[in-house]
Amino acid sequence: MTAPESGPPPSFGPAAESTPTVLVLEADPLPRLGRLTGRARIEHADESTLAERLPYADVLLVWDFTSHAVRAAWPGEGPRPRWVHTASAGVDHLMCPELAASDTVVTNARGVFDQPIAEYVAALVLAMAKDLPRTWDLQRERTWRHRESERVAGTRACVVGAGPIGRAIVATLKALGITAALVGRTPRAGVHGPEDLDRLLARADWVIAAAPLTEQTYGMFDARRFGVMQPSARFVNIGRGQLVVEDALAEALSKRWIAGAALDVFEHEPLPADSPLWQVPNLIVSPHMSGDTVGWREELGLQFVEMYERWEAGKSLPNVVDKQRGYVPGH
């Protein structure tokens, strides 16, 4: 684990005389936790059984990070786990007022998805600049149609979200010769504040949404923001679906207010087959896969095991989420 350490004091770990219970909100395939054999009692729950088993758990591993079961079950009666870990970067799917107000420590999978998502964003940028979707369409039609493509070197990007994923995206885009500006919640060295966002959007060739979902970011990319962008701009969302007003994006693309977009996350997932987004011109739709590279589940399981060993030893945990803000602060 390379993230800076923060969180509860060493006394946070388990009591010496008991074997801690780790409750896994399950999803297929299950995590590999064999390294914890004899050191933890591993139990499983699904959405229907989580509420009844939650009071008996010391640790909750939210392996099914698409589920909202934690948010529904947490306000119930009885004790609650002292530590909740989610195998995802975002925590909006599990946060509720009762969890936010509790003494329970929440951690996330920060660090696992940064570079894979950055590579995916770079692939989308190159695909749109080089008109690859159209090339594949023409190939299926057996049509030879020469076109000119665009260079990405020398263009500008605005990356919204200054966490490790946003920073990895900036570094990867810079390797392609793209000048990238990073926008975060508060201005600091190398990071613009929200007050600079509209100015940066108006100059950007590429706008990348990589922000966490909070009250401040919900629906931030609306008709006004798409109207600020250049007609030649492309928009990419790999953050959270609710960052975008999807009808406004569809209108912006249909009316050519912007040149193109790619969405990997959506307000409702999986995207329904009858969603109009499937047919929006110049929109690339992908099924929430930007961070999911070969072996990613094994990496998530290993990350939890290593964090558990720290917790077991009474050491402070990395990746501690500020439950009021909804993300790991200070970076």
Side-chain angles (χ1 to χ4, degrees), residues 60-81:
L60 173 64
L61 169 57
V62 185
W63 190 248
D64 183 359
F65 51 81
T66 66
S67 171
H68 293 235
V70 176
R71 186 188 299 169
W74 196 271
E77 297 181 357
R80 290 294 178 260

Side-chain angles (χ1 to χ4, degrees), residues 44-260:
H44 296 86
D46 57 22
E47 293 188 355
S48 66
T49 60
L50 180 64
E52 65 184 70
R53 298 185 182 183
L54 203 57
Y56 306 99
D58 298 289
V59 178
L60 173 64
L61 169 57
V62 185
W63 190 248
D64 183 359
F65 51 81
T66 66
S67 171
H68 293 235
V70 176
R71 186 188 299 169
W74 196 271
E77 297 181 357
R80 290 294 178 260
R82 291 169 284 164
W83 169 31
V84 173
H85 177 75
T86 179
S88 61
V91 298
D92 51 276
H93 58 289
L94 57 87
M95 293 305 299
C96 62
E98 292 81 3
L99 175 54
S102 73
D103 293 331
T104 297
V105 172
V106 176
T107 57
N108 71 357
R110 180 186 180 101
V112 172
F113 301 106
D114 306 355
Q115 191 56 37
I117 290 177
E119 293 173 4
Y120 198 87
V121 169
L124 289 171
V125 166
L126 289 170
M128 286 188 278
K130 304 305 177 183
D131 199 24
L132 292 185
R134 183 60 177 151
T135 295
W136 292 326
D137 289 342
L138 292 170
Q139 179 179 341
R140 285 192 292 269
E141 297 169 6
R142 301 191 179 196
T143 299
W144 182 279
R145 183 173 300 161
H146 179 270
R147 289 110 61 220
E148 295 178 344
S149 65
E150 304 170 29
R151 294 188 62 179
V152 298
T155 60
R156 294 175 175 174
C158 175
V159 179
V160 183
I165 292 174
R167 296 199 304 272
I169 292 170
V170 166
T172 303
L173 294 182
K174 284 184 176 179
L176 296 174
I178 300 173
T179 301
L182 189 59
V183 179
R185 183 173 182 266
T186 55
R188 53 194 183 274
V191 179
H192 294 267
E195 64 278 3
D196 291 336
L197 178 56
D198 286 355
R199 175 178 61 83
L200 294 169
L201 291 180
R203 303 171 58 195
D205 301 290
W206 311 98
V207 177
I208 316 297
L213 182 61
T214 66
E215 290 183 4
Q216 292 73 33
T217 63
Y218 189 97
M220 67 182 301
F221 289 101
D222 54 12
R224 188 188 70 79
R225 286 261 162 74
F226 291 122
V228 168
M229 298 178 196
Q230 301 182 82
S232 59
R234 271 86 164 217
F235 174 78
V236 176
N237 185 17
I238 48 76
R240 282 290 179 265
Q242 293 85 350
L243 300 178
V244 178
V245 179
E246 292 176 346
D247 288 345
L249 175 60
E251 182 180 20
L253 289 167
S254 297
K255 294 183 176 179
R256 298 185 179 180
W257 295 347
I258 62 175

Side-chain angles (χ1 to χ4, degrees), residues 282-305:
N282 297 315
L283 175 63
I284 297 173
V285 170
S286 60
H288 203 151
M289 58 181 283
S290 62
D292 302 347
T293 53
V294 175
W296 66 287
R297 291 184 178 88
E298 288 77 7
E299 191 172 354
L300 286 171
L302 178 59
Q303 181 188 52
F304 174 74
V305 168

